[in-house]
Amino acid sequence: MSKERARRRAEREAARARAIRLNEERQARRARRRAALARLVPRPVRVARQGGLLARRHRAQNAAVALGFLLVQVLAWLMWGSPLVTFGVFVCSLLLLPVLVTLAFDRRT
């Protein structure tokens, strides 16, 4: 009885060792594929944002300008609905946007 138990235990240990070896081989193949792919694909360049007070203020001002521009476009679309009028408001908005930004947010001070 103990010889049979020892044989079964040896089979289990051999099967477990085989599974571990197969898993390690699979991980090694995966690591080689990943390394080969990493050599082919360029790494993305991370551009860090400025974190100072002025940069935060400029981001907030730019967000306000973008939101105002979008609001004007939506209101024009809702009020008139005509594609021609909406396009005209879009073109006028694009032309007046730098003037309004300069008047509202004078960044020289």
Side-chain angles (χ1 to χ4, degrees):
M1 186 68 153
S2 69
K3 287 183 182 181
E4 180 68 23
R5 222 179 306 162
R7 185 185 59 80
R8 280 188 270 167
R9 184 175 354 120
E11 288 175 356
R12 280 193 310 267
E13 289 174 358
R16 187 178 303 127
R18 199 171 29 251
I20 290 172
R21 190 176 61 249
L22 287 175
N23 191 22
E24 289 172 351
E25 290 172 359
R26 190 174 336 138
Q27 287 177 349
R29 281 194 310 266
R30 183 180 298 153
R32 285 193 302 269
R33 277 192 310 244
R34 187 177 294 142
L37 184 63
R39 284 191 300 270
L40 294 175
V41 177
R43 295 184 70 182
V45 177
R46 182 171 181 255
V47 178
R49 292 188 344 184
Q50 293 288 328
L53 180 64
L54 289 177
R56 254 185 282 139
R57 188 175 77 191
H58 287 178
R59 278 196 299 273
Q61 289 173 353
N62 290 339
V65 168
L67 185 63
F69 182 81
L70 184 66
L71 185 64
V72 166
Q73 300 310 308
V74 169
L75 286 176
W77 178 67
L78 288 175
M79 287 178 65
W80 289 290
S82 167
L84 188 60
V85 173
T86 305
F87 182 71
V89 169
F90 177 73
V91 170
C92 288
S93 297
L94 281 180
L95 292 174
L96 289 176
L97 190 65
V99 174
L100 293 175
V101 168
T102 302
L103 291 176
F105 308 118
D106 189 11
R107 294 182 176 173
R108 289 179 293 166
T109 59

